[in-house]
Amino acid sequence: MGAEDESATVVVRSVLDLKHGEAREFFLKQESYCNFELPSYFQFSKMLLSISKVLKGKDFKSLLAANCNPRDFDDVSHTILQNKDGRYGWRSMQLIHPALYVRLVHLITEEQAWEEIGQRFQKFSANEKIICLSLPVESTEGKDKAAQILQWWQEVEQRSIALALEFEHITHTDITDCYGSIYTHSIAWALHGKKFIKEKDHRYDLNFLGNAMDSMLQDMQHGQTNGIPVGTVLMDFISEIVLGYADRSISRGIKNLKIEDYKILRYRDDYRIFVNNPLEGESILKIIAEVLSELGLKLSSSKTRLSNLVIRDSVKADKLSWLKSKQGHNGLQKHLMLIHDLSESHPNSGSLTRSLSGFQRRIVGKKISGSSVLPMISIAVDIGMRNPKAHPLIAAILSKLLACLGSDELRMEVFGKIRKRFLSVPNTGHLQIWLQRISVTFDQALQFDEPLCQLVAGDDVDLWNNDWIGSTKLKDLIKPENIVNKKALAEMEEVIASNEVQLFDY
């Protein structure tokens, strides 16, 4: 089954179909803790499970240093910066402090809490005309992230196309900086009702699940109440609690206007509104904007558009562009140039990632020689400069092309040029991690600014601030060096294998 075989099916379970113990296991998996790509020698599972055993049944306060609270400390979680556009745009991803992450997982997967959350989601989804398609899923085969992406293709795209049988108009819109704008207090509103939880006797009562979750999120973020961390499936799930609450309010608003002929598909912060009367579509859009504004969220005006071409606009523009292009070039350089053209017109798109996946698989076992190697390296670097989602695949492609150069001396010289070009861009922590993966087989001590890279190079790094922890046992478990598997690092191949960077098995 592959990324381009969108008729393929994978057996998945929604996280809400898991029992509370299964949900705990799901959120404690490495893939759930860190849902962005890192080289395979970074391993968190053993640490997370060990912390879980220490925290189980313990009063968390008993593990704290005297008069200490994690929210009073800077840099409790580790932030990795990722450049967005090759210039000054950037996004941050967090490796949440493992103890605080496990603590929150324990809280929501206690049997009573998990049942309470499930009951709220039943209310959020009561209106069958507003369909959420983005709840985290667990795959029974392959990677959960791959199953989540395939779920998007099959559910959002295919349902949208099918809805052309019923509706003549589609409106697209999404939320601006959703995770960065979520107000942590709104989690308690979602779980208990805004009016109820804002009553004087309830507002600060940590016996209410929503308040406890809010407090734990603040502990991760130096007391900050605006925004939730990016980079974990757990936070994807928490965002669904807030957005599910919004769905319910949107449903009430539409009902009050007596609009009945509509359907809304929501995938996280992305909305597709289907109607036959465009005026009703405008009214629904207004309701969504008003509901979200009450939660501190706002729609992106630049990404909001109405169309009467439902089938065409059910498929993303980048995918249509790629489908229309000539993908059958025999020459590798022509193939890569075609992908470069796609990256220019549709940067950071899903089609770009899929096209690079296909190219990487095409070259991985091929002998490449001649004058085309250096030009292809240059093209691949240029794609990587402005497309951070593609960094792992670009690293894999570059590792193969570098291996095809004639000598170790030339390989080192060309890698130096690649490194210099990439590091001329600000906020490249995630990219540095993948540059190091290329170089780690021939120069493990090569210096990078990103702390995770320094950790691999053998330097002492304070990845997470542990000053608030009083328990020596817990501190010992959270030593940063524990996340680097030395054996796996020593066994890294010069050419990055497909299974290190590919989500799908072909």
Side-chain angles (χ1 to χ4, degrees), residues 149-179:
I149 292 172
L150 194 62
Q151 180 96 337
W152 190 95
W153 287 337
Q154 292 177 334
E155 291 293 323
V156 179
E157 182 181 285
Q158 297 303 305
R159 283 200 191 206
S160 295
I161 293 172
L163 284 171
L165 285 170
E166 302 174 52
F167 298 100
E168 296 180 6
H169 299 273
I170 179 174
T171 297
H172 290 266
T173 192
D174 68 12
I175 299 170
T176 300
D177 188 24
C178 181
Y179 284 29

Side-chain angles (χ1 to χ4, degrees), residues 71 181-194 197-198 203-204 210-215 217-218 221 223-228 241-242 245 294-295:
R71 73 178 60 186
S181 304
I182 287 178
Y183 187 43
T184 60
H185 294 340
S186 66
I187 297 165
W189 304 349
L191 290 176
H192 310 291
K194 184 175 181 179
I197 207 65
K198 291 190 79 171
R203 187 174 299 177
Y204 303 109
N211 286 343
M213 291 172 66
D214 177 9
S215 178
L217 283 164
Q218 291 181 53
Q221 304 181 110
Q224 184 174 310
T225 58
N226 287 324
I228 62 175
I241 294 175
V242 175
Y245 174 63
E294 293 178 2
L295 296 171

